[in-house]
Amino acid sequence: MSNNDIQRTVTVRIQRFNPDVDKKPHMQDYQVKMWPGMTILDALHEIKTHQDGSVTYRRSCRHGICGSCAMHINGRNTLACKTPIINEVQKNDTVTIGPLPYLPVIKDMVVDRTSFWEQYLRVKPWLLPPNDIPEKEFRMSQEEVDALHDAEACIMCGACYSSCAVIGLNKKYLGPHALLKAFLRVLDPRDTAPAERLEIVSQADGVARCHTIFNCIDACPKGLNPTQAIETLRKLAQKRQKYEEARRERQKHLNEPIPS
Amino acid sequence: MQNSDVITHDVIVVGAGLAGTWAAMTAAENGVKDVAVLSKIHPLRSHSGAAQGGIAAVLNNVRPVAGTGPRGPLEQIPPGDDPVDSFDLHMFDTIKGSDWLGDQDAIEIMVKDAPDVVIQYEHMGCVFSRTKDGRINQRRFGGHSAPRANFSADRTGHVLLHTIHEQALFHNVKFYSEWYVMDLIIEDNITRGVVAINVLTGDIKMLRAKAVMFGTGGYGQAFKVTSNAYANTGDGVALAYNAGAPLMDMEFVQFHPTGLYRHGFLMTEACRGEGGYLINKLGERFMKKYAPDKMELAPRDLVSRSEQIEINEGRGVMEDGQGIYLDMRHLGREKIMSRLPEVRDLAIAFAHVDPIEDPVPIQPTAHYSMGGIPTTVDGEVLANANGDLITGFYAAGEVSCVSVHGANRLGTNSLLEASVFGRRAGRAIAEFVKGGAKLHPVPGDPAEKNRKMVQQLFDNDGTELVEDIVQDLKTTMTNKVGIFRDEEGLKSALDEIHNLQERFKNIRVMDKSKRFNTNLSMTLEASHLLTFSELIAAGALNRQESRGAHSRTDFPKRDDESWLKHTMAHKDEDGRPKFSYKGVTIYWDRFPPQERKY
């Protein structure tokens, strides 16, 4: 790519909506001169700080760990901070940006995540550890840690949640993010309540609602696989008493070295 | 005051990173029923979550394999074998890292509380990386002479933040998400509460409390290249200063050696802890010239200065010569994938470089604020250099200055500091509240005063854009108050900052709506940048020595005779800073000042 190409001016087409003054959303175009390495978030910052201060979005860390800036870019949910603008410029030299779908819009790209956080709370995201707390750490194998990877790396950005067709129809569905959190606790050898958790996720608005459409996997900016976690929960839910017994057995050895 | 406008809690914590959430959770755990946390962004977006490499604690879980040297492999310590690490060693490393400006009583407390706080994280469900026998795994880090960085791959801050937030929810802490605190009310040295704007609605409210705790984080956004989030605008230090509290050691700003080139966010120090090299244009591991013993794992101030010298002398990389290479290729695919997966992902996404195949361009980046609101070891805020307290005001974490980091912080000591002193502040607050602390009356109508201030900003309709002022400030701070400083540059920086403060009076806020007005919050944040940047530059101008992260080319030596003391900045009646100084706590028999060599 030549330098000229990188520094050309492109149109950033933003879906604008302030419910206090607008009857319905409308599109507004802004011209932005690109620079090498510019991200979608950089472009939004340029627009907000020099052209139109009312363009509104959430952001903080700038490098894909805080989860603030998930939005809809050229028809796809992703993090604005991790998306180079050059990759998104379409044939007509335009990038189209809007809010995450399926959620009420507060203002422009800022969506109301109330249902998202309610579902997170419904799965009781905190660990429920054994009563017998050792002086030192509980012993876990690296394999047990690795099994939690996807759930532990989740940044709760909501890209999966708002790409899920089931959420589009039914806000009572727990959703991929909350199920991933439930998975984290269910698989953690330190947690004492896997059966109770599996009971929660197998209720009407839990794992059974997942249609395995895999939108969540496509949307996840961290490359995680919520569908697989949901599948695992579905299987474990069918034998939850047995699973709980196995957990109790495992917890008898939580204070002992992992055998080599 | 209209009662409907006033919200009341026993305890109000501002900031929902590790320090604030620890304080809130611990106060609740210790019997305070009504604890609220205000955060300008959702709690899980807090910048503690961006920390990568680890949290320091002497656990003695691993040791270097005998005979493999300072960069060789590590192994778990078999049961019964001698420990390699000790509290004294962690203390000494921290004191030496601080260039003897850290208060050694506070450092001792941090180091001794460390194992317990890390184990508490583990018991609360934090997912740490593990040794073969299932203990928390540890790695090397810069300036630490034993492997004591307890880690979760390269997303340690992320897992700690999620864990402590979940526990705070479990303990029924109330969170006000996206409430931006714009004023701290202290009258007659007694804390009354805060004024905050509900960002969603634009409503401005008075929130009264018996105790207010600040865990609002650092001030890296004053610099052009920074690892810090957009949110790290030093709100807490500026609000405290404006409310009459002193600020301590503000001139000490840490530049991290490995910010991603041009972007500034971090390639964790763990890249070097795991064995990565720093390479200049000539392909040299140049650290051999500056720190022949510790090499790439010298402390951050020293490594950043070394990089800047290489760059200034024309041995930098990239088109503009402003970069250095971080070379991890020899670590191999497996180690990079298992220990540094997030870093690899970032290098690919932002620099189009896969660290498995190619060296990653990096540059020094403004990273950590050693200075801040002075506190006791229990988070109580000092009113002055004599050690008097401000009743009901607490602070911990990066916004505070205990001081454990002194003139330069060691990596992995920040997650530790935020956790240890957040927890201690939480216990102290619980004692204060349960000991009969009162809700003190609020003088006047601070909420209305702030509403009028916002209306004035909207009505101002000047010609200056906030962003132009911010960018000019960042350029000044980076060029003249950055890694290397001198009298001429600092004087002209102060002139420029005063000029920017004048220009700020002529700003125009573009968005005047009530609903989710981030244009307004960015404007208030900019005013905070201008407030504390003056203190950094003025403190740096006064301090005629080089110590830790403060490097004066015109005073290249540390001067213990004149400058082994903390800077305290107060706001005087004319709104200008006046300075006093406070002694450093030193255990003269155990850790007297020495020459600092690595």
Side-chain angles (χ1 to χ4, degrees):
Chain A
M1 200 174 312
S2 77
N3 243 7
N4 285 345
D5 192 30
I6 263 183
Q7 290 180 0
R8 73 180 194 270
T9 296
V10 294
T11 301
V12 179
R13 180 164 294 167
I14 297 177
Q15 182 180 314
R16 305 297 314 274
F17 184 50
N18 177 350
D20 290 341
V21 289
D22 300 322
K23 282 211 175 84
K24 56 179 191 197
H26 61 278
M27 304 307 287
Q28 193 165 346
D29 287 358
Y30 299 88
Q31 305 301 315
V32 174
K33 192 174 171 190
M34 293 193 293
W35 40 263
M38 185 186 228
T39 64
I40 296 287
L41 185 61
D42 293 327
L44 286 169
H45 185 78
E46 167 60 26
I47 292 165
K48 182 173 184 73
T49 56
H50 281 120
Q51 301 182 30
D52 185 346
S54 71
V55 169
T56 304
Y57 51 93
R58 292 184 173 106
R59 87 285 184 265
S60 191
C61 78
R62 306 176 292 131
H63 66 282
I65 192 70
C66 81
S68 298
C69 67
M71 54 186 77
H72 204 58
I73 300 168
N74 285 339
R76 188 170 65 90
N77 291 353
T78 192
L79 297 178
C81 73
K82 259 185 102 176
T83 308
I85 190 167
I86 192 78
N87 296 356
E88 298 295 329
V89 175
Q90 309 285 300
K91 280 203 182 95
N92 55 357
D93 265 0
T94 299
V95 182
T96 306
I97 303 174
L100 290 177
Y102 303 142
L103 296 169
V105 175
I106 290 172
K107 187 174 175 182
D108 299 340
M109 272 71 74
V110 176
V111 291
D112 181 350
R113 291 163 175 272
T114 305
S115 65
F116 179 81
W117 295 118
E118 278 172 1
Q119 306 305 358
Y120 164 83
L121 285 174
R122 261 179 71 198
V123 301
K124 301 182 182 172
W126 44 83
L127 182 85
L128 293 164
N131 289 327
D132 179 21
I133 298 280
E135 199 177 303
K136 296 202 166 172
E137 66 268 56
F138 294 114
R139 298 295 183 109
M140 280 172 76
S141 71
Q142 185 59 40
E143 288 70 32
E144 286 171 321
V145 168
D146 290 343
L148 306 175
H149 170 271
D150 276 22
E152 168 251 317
C154 169
I155 58 171
M156 293 282 158
C157 71
C160 62
Y161 183 79
S162 110
S163 73
C164 174
V166 182
I167 292 292
L169 299 169
N170 174 12
K171 289 284 187 309
K172 287 182 181 155
Y173 173 45
L174 282 170
H177 69 303
L179 288 166
L180 204 50
K181 185 56 86 173
F183 172 92
L184 176 69
R185 296 304 172 216
V186 166
L187 266 80
D188 192 320
R190 298 168 295 185
D191 193 78
T192 52
E196 183 194 334
R197 295 179 189 282
L198 288 165
E199 179 68 36
I200 293 172
V201 303
S202 47
Q203 285 163 7
D205 296 307
V207 287
R209 284 274 179 266
C210 172
H211 294 183
T212 55
I213 307 166
F214 306 116
N215 283 356
C216 53
I217 302 174
D218 293 339
C220 180
K222 304 298 279 185
L224 311 178
N225 189 337
T227 312
Q228 194 175 36
I230 294 169
E231 277 303 294
T232 304
L233 288 176
R234 213 192 308 247
K235 280 181 194 141
L236 293 178
Q238 287 165 5
K239 47 175 186 180
R240 52 183 174 268
Q241 286 318 323
K242 237 182 174 166
Y243 187 72
E244 177 117 342
E245 282 160 30
R247 172 64 44 83
R248 285 202 202 103
E249 198 52 39
R250 170 70 184 88
Q251 288 184 339
K252 286 179 186 163
H253 308 286
L254 267 180
N255 302 340
E256 299 163 14
I258 301 295
S260 43
Chain B
M1 197 185 318
Q2 293 162 308
N3 279 338
S4 64
D5 273 348
V6 179
I7 296 169
T8 302
H9 292 287
D10 280 342
V11 179
I12 286 176
V13 172
V14 185
L18 293 187
T21 313
W22 263 107
M25 193 276 283
T26 305
E29 204 182 17
N30 283 278
V32 183
K33 294 225 163 50
D34 182 16
V35 182
V37 179
L38 275 67
S39 176
K40 65 177 178 178
I41 51 180
H42 185 277
L44 290 177
R45 316 299 182 210
S46 303
H47 198 54
S48 297
Q52 297 168 338
I55 175 168
V58 176
L59 295 189
N60 276 306
N61 287 350
V62 308
R63 67 184 178 194
V65 173
T68 59
R71 303 182 70 87
L74 301 172
E75 62 182 7
Q76 64 188 28
I77 301 179
D81 272 27
D82 288 339
V84 294
D85 202 3
S86 69
F87 289 150
D88 268 12
L89 203 54
H90 189 183
M91 280 183 72
F92 177 72
D93 290 342
T94 302
I95 292 163
K96 186 177 174 186
S98 83
D99 219 347
W100 274 270
L101 193 65
D103 287 310
Q104 298 185 4
D105 54 342
I107 292 171
E108 181 164 35
I109 282 171
M110 177 177 81
V111 164
K112 290 186 171 169
D113 276 7
D116 183 63
V117 94
V118 170
I119 296 298
Q120 193 179 343
Y121 272 120
E122 201 279 337
H123 291 162
M124 294 187 304
C126 186
V127 182
F128 284 103
S129 298
R130 298 286 169 156
T131 63
K132 283 204 177 77
D133 66 359
R135 285 175 280 175
I136 296 171
N137 209 346
Q138 305 184 286
R139 59 165 52 121
R140 290 190 177 93
F141 240 74
H144 291 280
S145 45
R148 66 171 76 98
N150 304 280
F151 66 94
S152 176
D154 56 354
R155 48 178 163 267
T156 311
H158 167 79
V159 298
L160 299 184
L161 178 65
H162 280 251
T163 302
I164 194 71
H165 179 68
E166 290 153 5
Q167 291 298 314
L169 291 171
F170 177 74
H171 286 284
N172 292 314
V173 170
K174 180 178 170 67
F175 284 92
Y176 288 82
S177 184
E178 295 173 329
W179 281 60
Y180 182 51
V181 173
M182 52 200 299
D183 208 354
L184 167 66
I185 310 302
I186 296 172
E187 185 82 8
D188 298 330
N189 211 40
I190 297 170
T191 308
R192 318 290 168 132
V194 298
V195 177
I197 182 164
N198 176 351
V199 178
L200 173 61
T201 62
D203 291 334
I204 292 171
K205 302 254 188 205
M206 177 73 212
L207 293 98
R208 298 176 63 190
K210 296 169 184 171
V212 171
M213 188 272 180
F214 271 16
T216 53
Y219 45 81
Q221 276 294 328
F223 294 84
K224 207 173 186 71
V225 176
T226 176
S227 65
N228 283 198
Y230 275 121
N232 295 22
T233 49
D235 300 331
V237 287
L239 293 175
Y241 178 74
N242 288 334
L247 298 178
M248 192 159 93
D249 292 340
M250 290 294 288
E251 63 268 35
F252 294 98
V253 178
Q254 178 170 80
F255 293 83
H256 191 293
T258 57
L260 189 65
Y261 174 73
R262 279 202 171 152
H263 293 275
F265 54 74
L266 278 207
M267 300 281 104
T268 170
E269 186 168 318
C271 297
R272 287 170 287 137
E274 296 288 352
Y277 300 150
L278 294 172
I279 306 281
N280 65 13
K281 190 171 84 176
L282 308 175
E284 295 169 329
R285 277 180 74 191
F286 55 86
M287 282 310 297
K288 65 177 182 255
K289 289 185 284 189
Y290 305 97
D293 189 24
K294 291 268 186 184
M295 294 290 284
E296 283 87 352
L297 286 181
R300 291 172 176 173
D301 57 334
L302 177 50
V303 180
S304 287
R305 271 196 297 277
S306 309
E307 289 180 356
Q308 197 60 48
I309 292 169
E310 293 296 306
I311 289 167
N312 292 351
E313 294 181 355
R315 294 186 293 277
V317 303
M318 307 305 279
E319 262 178 51
D320 60 1
Q322 296 297 305
I324 293 287
Y325 280 135
L326 171 62
D327 193 347
M328 292 177 269
R329 290 174 294 181
H330 57 286
L331 303 182
R333 172 177 293 273
E334 194 192 339
K335 193 166 209 174
I336 290 174
M337 298 295 278
S338 65
R339 295 291 177 82
L340 304 164
E342 297 276 339
V343 161
R344 176 174 180 257
D345 187 37
L346 291 176
I348 293 172
F350 290 94
H352 312 293
V353 169
D354 184 344
I356 295 169
E357 313 283 343
D358 291 295
V360 181
I362 52 90
Q363 66 186 139
T365 185
H367 180 56
Y368 189 84
S369 321
M370 268 76 74
I373 304 169
T375 67
T376 68
V377 294
D378 292 311
E380 303 149 305
V381 174
L382 304 186
N384 51 44
N386 302 331
D388 299 321
L389 302 179
I390 298 176
T391 304
F393 186 27
Y394 297 79
E398 195 173 347
V399 71
S400 73
C401 187
V402 182
S403 148
V404 287
H405 307 309
N408 173 65
R409 175 174 72 76
L410 295 187
T412 69
N413 268 352
S414 60
L415 292 180
L416 178 60
E417 181 214 5
S419 308
V420 162
F421 292 103
R423 189 171 72 165
R424 293 180 72 90
R427 288 173 184 159
I429 289 166
E431 226 167 89
F432 175 70
V433 170
K434 291 195 298 184
K438 288 191 182 64
L439 210 55
H440 290 274
V442 178
D445 190 345
E448 188 55 28
K449 194 178 123 212
N450 278 277
R451 282 180 207 119
K452 282 189 180 136
M453 184 268 285
V454 167
Q455 196 53 50
Q456 272 168 11
L457 278 177
F458 286 165
D459 294 343
N460 198 35
D461 236 11
T463 53
E464 291 272 7
L465 288 180
V466 174
E467 180 71 0
D468 293 338
I469 295 175
V470 168
Q471 288 304 328
D472 286 353
L473 176 71
K474 284 167 176 270
T475 302
T476 296
M477 293 300 285
T478 297
N479 293 345
K480 296 177 178 170
V481 198
I483 295 177
F484 290 110
R485 305 161 170 182
D486 62 26
E487 181 176 327
E488 195 192 336
L490 290 167
K491 279 185 170 160
S492 96
L494 268 175
D495 287 344
E496 285 166 31
I497 292 165
H498 294 149
N499 182 35
L500 291 169
Q501 289 169 341
E502 284 304 308
R503 277 173 61 192
F504 191 78
K505 293 175 182 162
N506 184 33
I507 53 154
R508 176 162 57 93
V509 180
M510 287 186 269
D511 186 359
K512 298 180 190 354
S513 65
K514 280 200 84 179
R515 175 184 282 262
F516 219 98
N517 189 338
T518 51
N519 196 191
L520 172 63
S521 44
M522 286 163 81
T523 305
L524 298 172
E525 289 168 344
S527 75
H528 296 155
L529 298 179
L530 291 169
T531 299
F532 69 74
S533 291
E534 180 180 7
L535 308 179
I536 300 175
L541 178 62
N542 290 345
R543 187 175 281 274
Q544 296 186 336
E545 66 158 353
S546 289
R547 183 185 296 274
H550 171 67
S551 283
R552 287 281 300 258
T553 52
D554 45 353
F555 297 96
K557 289 244 179 335
R558 194 176 83 197
D559 177 2
D560 286 343
E561 198 128 310
S562 306
W563 289 103
L564 186 53
K565 57 189 181 185
H566 299 292
T567 305
M568 303 275 276
H570 287 262
K571 191 174 181 174
D572 73 8
E573 297 73 31
D574 307 328
R576 288 296 178 209
K578 62 173 185 232
F579 290 90
S580 58
Y581 292 89
K582 178 173 174 284
V584 180
T585 306
I586 291 187
Y587 295 157
W588 290 96
D589 51 334
R590 293 169 67 196
F591 305 109
Q594 306 172 1
E595 194 193 351
R596 184 164 171 256
K597 275 194 348 206
Y598 288 94

